[in-house]
Amino acid sequence: MNTSVLLAALLLVATPAFAENAPALPRATVEIPALKTSGQTIRVPAGGDLQKALDDAKPGDRIELQPRATYEGPFHLKAKDGDDWIVITTSGELPKPGRHIQPSHAAAMPKLISAGDFLVSTDPGAHHYRFVGIEFAPKAGSFVTTLIQFGDKETSADAVPHHLIVDRCYVHGDAKLGARRGVALNGRNIAVIDSYIADFKEVGADSQAVSGWNGPGPIKIANNYLEAAGENIMFGGADPKIADLVPSDIEVVHNHLSKPLRWRKGDPSFEGVEWSVKNLFELKNARRVLVNGNLLEYNWPQAQNGFAILFTVRNQDGAAPWSTIEDVTFSNNLIRHVAAGINMLGKDDNNPSQQANRLAIRNNVFLDVGGKWGNGRLFQMLDGVASVTIDHNTAFQTGSILFGGDHAPHTGFVFQNNVVMLTENGVSGSSAGEGMDTLKRYFPEAVFQRNVIVGGVAGRYPKDNFFPSSLQDAGLTIPRDDDFRLTLVRPYSRAATDGRDPGADVDAIAKALDGLDAAGLRARARAHARADVAPLFLFAWWPGATVVFWSSLLLLLYVYGGYPMVAALRAKLHPKRRLRAPLEPRVSIIVIAHNEAERIGGRIENLLTLNYPPHRVEIVIGSDGSTDGTVERARRYQSLGVTVRAFTQHRGKPAIVNALVPIVHGEIVVFADARQRFDPQSLRALVANFADPSVGAVSGELVIQADDGTAAAGHGASAYWRCEKFIRNAEGKVDSTVGATGAIYAIRSELFEPIPEDTLLDDVLIPLKIVRRGYRVVFEPNARAYDHASSTARQEFVRKTRTIAGTFQLMAREGWLLNPLRNRLWFETISHKVLRLALPMLHAAWFVANVLLADSGFYGVMLALQAGFYAAATVGLSQRDGRRRSIIFTAPSAICLLLWATVVGFYRFITHRQQVTWERVPAPATTTRRAA
């Protein structure tokens, strides 16, 4: 997760009302690798054959072109084997990355031109090409449809081009004729960064600087200047050729989007041609989009009504009824000199579509909206947009605040902590009065609170809002570049739901826009002063070492011992009746394996010997890109009824689960790994619980066996699983366990919901989705899977790190888990999962507070005990001779391994480094049982 996504995540959980409807952030981001090559350098002189160089280049090669030399295309990028980058660049000197280049830098660039439909296009599956410091333009006097066409005609997601970067390039249309499109982003892992893309314009048709409609993503658009008459950026606008495709995981960060005034009729600089002007940013079909830290300016009515930003669902040509707009975060942006603000449409009013859902507009400044530019309406919502949150924005607009349309209402609407002007109708809708009448008709059960509505009338709006009569009464002035202050006075300051000032945080926006000189926005000196004395503020906040010592200690005691005791007490006092009966439904056992050739035979033989009627069991082996003979060995058992599904790509367990569960035949699906072995009675024990109609999933017990060669950390892990069994058994008796044991659990097949393919904890997410539907997930101690403890601390650490990174991922994505009103297992989730993530911080706080309080008395003794604990952990972690050790060493070593794994897991989560494809950890050797 990059910085922009992390900052947006923090914004999304700032207030409870907002967290309720918080959109999902991009699940994947385009990584920009260091600019280096490992192969040869191919130098193409002026007039040389660039296409031949592209054809001959191998992954890792660098193609070097001469500055100011012209190379005429079109050029075509072919698919090649290998994952090293082919870099096409200049031999001239370029500015450092991090800010967009200027047209003046073209003097150091080679120039690629063409008179055809495309200047650069791609084969299906073309990948790992990076253009750095190149000028792209039509041949003089020519109109080119798309200068850089990454994909378009592909009909499957596997065939789209991928891993393509446009870096510090100058991409422009013809000064007189324009061009339709700069870069088409129809692929995955595509980035446009640090570039200047301008002069895309057309009369009677839409034109874009960048756009995409047939690529799954992820896509990054960062640090660019983007200029186009139609839509500077657009996703959608044409029906995807790939069925069910919605462009997803899109980051638009730190860009300058603008239309030059020479295109505006009536402006002194007008050049005489009225190009078809529409908007600055438009989504028609997109999912999980982050728009953060951008400057968007200059938009007026011409071919459209003047809204600067559009979130309007469109099944453009009628062949894509799956089209939708979901999970959009629009934050920390400066929008200025535009006719109107943001227009949202719930469903396409021309063709069938899905509903727009979960849109967040937070911490933005809207400046000079309306007036000479147009009607000045700030927000418009039409035809039932769901779960929109507008929070902490400041707007200086001349038109209405919000128009609710004239058809379907908008559910799940939140409008809070905003500073807005009321000069005409305020909040209105067709055939409804201003304010509460419109809110009741078009925004049922809306949250409308803590807004500063300058010029508003209190009686027309809900009570928990503020209505200063003028800007001066609120302490505000219309911002100027040299005086951009948005400081409220009492009683409006610190009156937001989160204790801060209503309206936008200008310092946060200035930080997000840092480096965009055109914005003219800087963080206030006061903010820098605060940063300089931040350590002093921390000491001022410090609540006292004694408070920290005892609060940390109590929380630690609760996590390690208190919650297990509470869970056991609840199970004894409030057990929920569970029906078990000897059933024999059709069962499908799914084993997913990657390179398990030496284990898969023994695993299948184990499953074939289970005490269950063979004609009622379907065994399905899903090979996840195995290359070691796993598939061949598994197919030896096909005559015994075993089904083998071989997937050529190593995609990870969730992708294979999504593919297999819908096609198996069992009423009950049992998930298993290749490593473990089932007890013969396990299958009967699992399915007996499904006699209870309230049970949707059953988790078995993982028994960790510690051998003579097991490390201290492994012995500790064995003890950990015994404790985990105790907790899950207690939770299941009260209601449900939080997740299941991935080595052995079963679900009703009809309750399965596909999960994101990058999910790290499928064995937690799948059961929790079942809980969300009202069913129970119970623990069955008689359904046992056997495994061996780790023979080294490293083995245990790798597993723990992955699990903890997955827990962070789960909590970040599934916000409902943290909401006590939506998660009936909220108490269990916080106690069993969330507080464990805080263990490193609690241990550190307890130790630091103890050091500050240390004396010759109680606190001195406690510090000595802590030091002894960490010394014992060090001894335990250093033991490699395999001898059984005392719990004095194994328990501290296991706990410290868990703490460090939590830190590393968090790091891998926020940096997006924990891959969904698992690392195979070798099993310890044993003479009594083959490792599973």
Side-chain angles (χ1 to χ4, degrees):
M1 177 178 289
N2 63 23
T3 303
S4 296
V5 177
L6 183 58
L7 290 174
L10 295 174
L11 287 173
L12 294 184
V13 297
T15 58
F18 190 85
E20 182 81 14
N21 297 328
L25 292 168
R27 293 176 181 170
T29 187
V30 180
E31 300 293 340
I32 307 299
L35 186 59
K36 58 183 180 180
T37 54
S38 57
Q40 64 177 330
T41 297
I42 304 173
R43 294 181 173 85
V44 184
D49 192 341
L50 175 56
Q51 184 62 61
K52 184 177 186 302
L54 289 167
D55 293 344
D56 293 345
K58 297 178 181 179
D61 286 352
R62 174 188 179 98
I63 300 175
E64 201 169 90
L65 309 180
Q66 290 186 10
R68 301 319 306 147
T70 299
Y71 302 83
E72 185 169 350
F75 302 102
H76 198 67
L77 306 180
K78 296 182 177 181
K80 303 187 179 189
D81 293 333
D83 292 337
D84 289 332
W85 291 86
I86 296 175
V87 176
I88 304 97
T89 188
T90 177
S91 60
E93 187 171 348
L94 294 171
K96 294 180 179 180
R99 297 190 180 189
H100 67 71
I101 56 97
Q102 298 289 344
S104 59
H105 293 120
M109 298 179 181
K111 186 175 184 179
L112 275 55
I113 63 170
S114 175
D117 286 339
F118 310 120
L119 173 49
V120 174
S121 60
T122 54
D123 268 349
H127 63 95
H128 286 89
Y129 289 91
R130 182 170 182 172
F131 291 94
V132 183
I134 307 292
E135 180 181 357
F136 298 84
K139 188 175 182 179
S142 301
F143 181 90
V144 176
T145 303
T146 304
L147 290 184
I148 304 174
Q149 181 80 29
F150 291 153
D152 176 28
K153 305 297 186 184
E154 291 77 13
T155 57
S156 74
D158 290 338
V160 299
H162 59 93
H163 290 88
L164 305 167
I165 300 176
V166 176
D167 177 3
R168 285 169 285 169
C169 291
Y170 178 31
V171 186
H172 61 92
D174 184 83
K176 293 183 178 180
L177 299 178
R180 181 167 296 171
R181 187 175 299 111
V183 188
L185 306 172
N186 297 312
R188 53 188 170 87
N189 284 288
I190 299 180
V192 179
I193 58 173
D194 299 343
S195 295
Y196 194 100
I197 304 178
D199 248 338
F200 290 92
K201 54 199 180 186
E202 193 170 357
V203 175
D206 287 10
S207 53
Q208 303 94 29
V210 295
S211 65
W213 58 93
N214 197 48
I219 292 168
K220 181 191 291 285
I221 304 169
N223 302 322
N224 304 287
Y225 174 80
L226 303 169
E227 175 187 290
E231 303 87 8
N232 297 48
I233 297 177
M234 181 169 72
F235 284 93
D239 288 350
K241 296 178 177 62
I242 301 172
D244 298 319
L245 184 136
V246 178
S248 302
D249 302 316
I250 300 165
E251 292 179 79
V252 181
V253 296
H254 208 255
N255 300 283
H256 181 189
L257 287 67
S258 181
K259 301 184 191 300
L261 295 179
R262 64 179 183 273
W263 295 351
R264 186 181 185 225
K265 187 177 181 179
D267 190 88
S269 64
F270 181 57
E271 293 179 337
V273 180
E274 283 196 85
W275 307 103
S276 296
V277 169
K278 286 196 169 182
N279 58 71
L280 294 167
F281 182 89
E282 182 169 10
L283 299 178
K284 293 185 175 183
N285 183 28
R287 178 180 288 132
R288 296 190 300 277
V289 183
L290 172 64
V291 186
N292 187 77
N294 301 281
L295 169 63
L296 304 97
E297 61 180 352
Y298 299 116
N299 196 69
W300 54 90
Q302 201 277 334
Q304 219 170 50
N305 57 14
F307 276 98
I309 296 102
L310 276 71
F311 303 138
T312 50
V313 179
R314 294 293 181 194
N315 172 10
Q316 191 73 29
D317 303 313
W322 60 82
S323 298
T324 187
I325 297 174
E326 292 179 341
D327 298 307
V328 178
T329 302
F330 188 85
S331 58
N332 293 320
N333 301 290
L334 174 60
I335 303 94
R336 66 187 182 192
H337 315 315
V338 297
I342 300 181
N343 183 23
M344 292 165 270
L345 178 67
K347 289 189 176 182
D348 191 347
D349 47 11
N350 296 316
N351 295 306
S353 76
Q354 304 304 305
Q355 184 180 28
N357 192 15
R358 295 186 300 279
L359 313 179
I361 302 164
R362 193 171 198 277
N363 208 62
N364 305 282
V365 170
F366 297 82
L367 182 62
D368 192 20
V369 178
K372 69 177 183 178
W373 304 103
N375 67 67
R377 178 171 287 169
L378 184 57
F379 300 112
Q380 177 169 284
M381 297 173 62
L382 307 174
D383 292 344
V385 192
S387 298
V388 172
T389 297
I390 302 175
D391 183 28
H392 270 296
N393 300 281
T394 296
F396 297 86
Q397 90 286 357
T398 61
S400 62
I401 298 169
L402 172 65
F403 180 69
D406 50 12
H407 292 110
H410 315 283
T411 58
F413 181 64
V414 177
F415 191 92
Q416 64 182 13
N417 305 324
N418 300 290
V419 175
V420 292
M421 309 298 114
L422 197 155
T423 57
E424 45 177 63
N425 293 325
V427 177
S428 63
S430 295
S431 304
E434 179 191 345
M436 286 188 284
D437 191 25
T438 291
L439 289 172
K440 182 178 179 180
R441 163 68 179 84
Y442 290 102
F443 304 93
E445 300 183 5
V447 175
F448 194 96
Q449 62 184 355
R450 294 282 152 170
N451 301 290
V452 177
I453 305 174
V454 178
V457 178
R460 296 178 182 173
Y461 292 89
K463 292 182 179 180
D464 194 18
N465 293 279
F466 306 95
F467 304 92
S469 59
S470 66
L471 287 172
Q472 290 74 20
D473 288 345
L476 295 171
T477 59
I478 295 177
R480 304 188 307 272
D481 286 350
D482 60 346
D483 186 16
F484 208 108
R485 292 178 294 122
L486 298 177
T487 306
L488 295 165
V489 298
R490 293 283 185 182
Y492 316 114
S493 64
R494 302 187 182 278
T497 56
D498 53 11
R500 299 187 292 123
D501 285 3
D505 181 343
V506 176
D507 289 337
I509 296 176
K511 183 177 181 180
L513 291 170
D514 186 34
L516 283 178
D517 295 332
L521 190 61
R522 297 289 182 270
R524 294 168 290 183
R526 184 173 64 192
H528 291 301
R530 286 176 180 170
D532 292 338
V533 297
L536 297 179
F537 280 110
L538 287 174
F539 281 115
W541 170 85
W542 184 256
T546 302
V547 174
V548 173
F549 177 91
W550 286 106
S551 58
S552 301
L553 176 59
L554 290 174
L555 282 172
L556 288 170
L557 291 174
Y558 177 75
V559 173
Y560 290 126
Y563 176 64
M565 294 172 61
V566 170
L569 184 62
R570 292 176 72 211
K572 185 174 182 179
L573 297 178
H574 304 289
K576 187 175 286 188
R577 181 178 175 272
R578 189 201 320 179
L579 175 65
R580 290 185 180 93
L583 302 177
E584 291 184 354
R586 175 89 170 154
V587 176
S588 296
I589 304 176
I590 294 178
V591 178
I592 297 172
H594 171 69
N595 289 345
E596 299 283 3
E598 77 277 16
R599 295 174 174 166
I600 197 65
R603 184 51 163 139
I604 294 174
E605 291 171 7
N606 169 249
L607 296 177
L608 289 172
T609 59
L610 295 178
N611 181 15
Y612 203 82
H615 66 283
R616 305 295 290 167
V617 178
E618 175 188 30
I619 300 174
V620 180
I621 307 299
S623 171
D624 182 17
S626 297
T627 58
D628 69 339
T630 297
V631 174
E632 292 75 12
R633 296 193 183 189
R635 283 176 175 163
R636 297 175 185 173
Y637 297 88
Q638 286 182 325
S639 61
L640 299 177
V642 176
T643 301
V644 181
R645 301 279 183 175
F647 297 85
T648 56
Q649 291 185 334
H650 186 26
R651 299 162 59 194
K653 185 176 180 180
I656 311 304
V657 167
N658 288 343
L660 291 182
V661 174
I663 64 173
V664 298
H665 303 96
E667 304 165 55
I668 306 300
V669 177
V670 176
F671 297 100
D673 292 335
R675 178 185 174 88
Q676 292 85 21
R677 295 288 186 273
F678 282 2
D679 183 270
Q681 302 301 322
S682 291
L683 196 52
R684 285 195 179 277
L686 284 173
V687 300
N689 291 273
F690 291 104
D692 190 331
S694 69
V695 172
V698 183
S699 173
E701 177 189 354
L702 177 62
V703 180
I704 300 293
Q705 298 174 321
D707 299 320
D708 291 340
T710 300
H715 286 287
S718 180
Y720 168 86
W721 277 108
R722 289 194 294 272
C723 178
E724 190 71 7
K725 168 191 170 181
F726 178 84
I727 295 173
R728 291 185 181 187
N729 192 27
E731 289 176 340
K733 289 180 179 178
V734 176
D735 187 334
S736 297
T737 67
V738 182
T741 301
I744 178 168
Y745 75 102
I747 68 170
R748 296 184 189 271
S749 59
E750 62 185 350
L751 298 182
F752 175 76
E753 297 180 30
I755 59 176
E757 292 191 0
D758 62 343
T759 300
L760 297 173
L761 292 185
D762 53 280
D763 53 348
V764 178
L765 182 56
I766 291 173
L768 283 175
K769 283 180 174 288
I770 292 174
V771 169
R772 194 176 187 182
R773 295 177 64 172
Y775 291 86
R776 295 176 65 191
V777 177
V778 298
F779 178 77
E780 177 51 67
N782 293 317
R784 299 186 184 92
Y786 296 96
D787 199 354
H788 288 271
S790 302
S791 59
T792 67
R794 179 184 175 278
Q795 288 178 329
E796 189 62 27
F797 179 76
V798 168
R799 293 175 191 168
K800 287 294 181 191
T801 300
R802 178 184 176 84
T803 300
I804 291 165
T807 306
F808 279 112
Q809 180 195 65
L810 183 73
M811 297 305 157
R813 289 184 178 179
E814 304 295 324
W816 64 276
L817 291 172
L818 304 179
N819 187 335
L821 301 179
R822 299 176 64 191
N823 179 13
R824 74 173 196 268
L825 301 183
W826 179 84
F827 174 73
E828 292 89 340
T829 302
I830 298 298
S831 299
H832 193 169
K833 296 294 184 182
V834 176
L835 285 178
R836 288 188 183 181
L837 300 179
L839 284 175
M841 183 177 65
L842 293 174
H843 274 275
W846 185 38
F847 185 81
V848 171
N850 202 166
V851 170
L852 295 176
L853 294 169
D855 54 20
S856 59
F858 171 78
Y859 292 109
V861 173
M862 293 302 295
L863 182 59
L865 291 174
Q866 287 206 62
F869 171 84
Y870 292 114
T874 302
V875 172
L877 291 171
S878 65
Q879 292 172 0
R880 301 179 183 273
D881 58 6
R883 290 180 296 166
R884 183 173 297 275
R885 295 290 182 176
S886 167
I887 195 173
I888 295 174
F889 301 109
T890 59
S893 63
I895 290 173
C896 287
L897 197 71
L898 174 65
L899 297 179
W900 183 237
T902 304
V903 174
V904 175
F906 177 68
Y907 171 74
R908 290 188 179 179
F909 162 67
I910 63 173
T911 58
H912 214 72
R913 296 190 179 189
Q914 183 64 60
Q915 296 182 348
V916 66
T917 51
W918 63 89
E919 303 172 54
R920 181 165 176 244
V921 182
T926 176
T927 59
T928 58
R929 181 189 299 270
R930 188 191 306 175

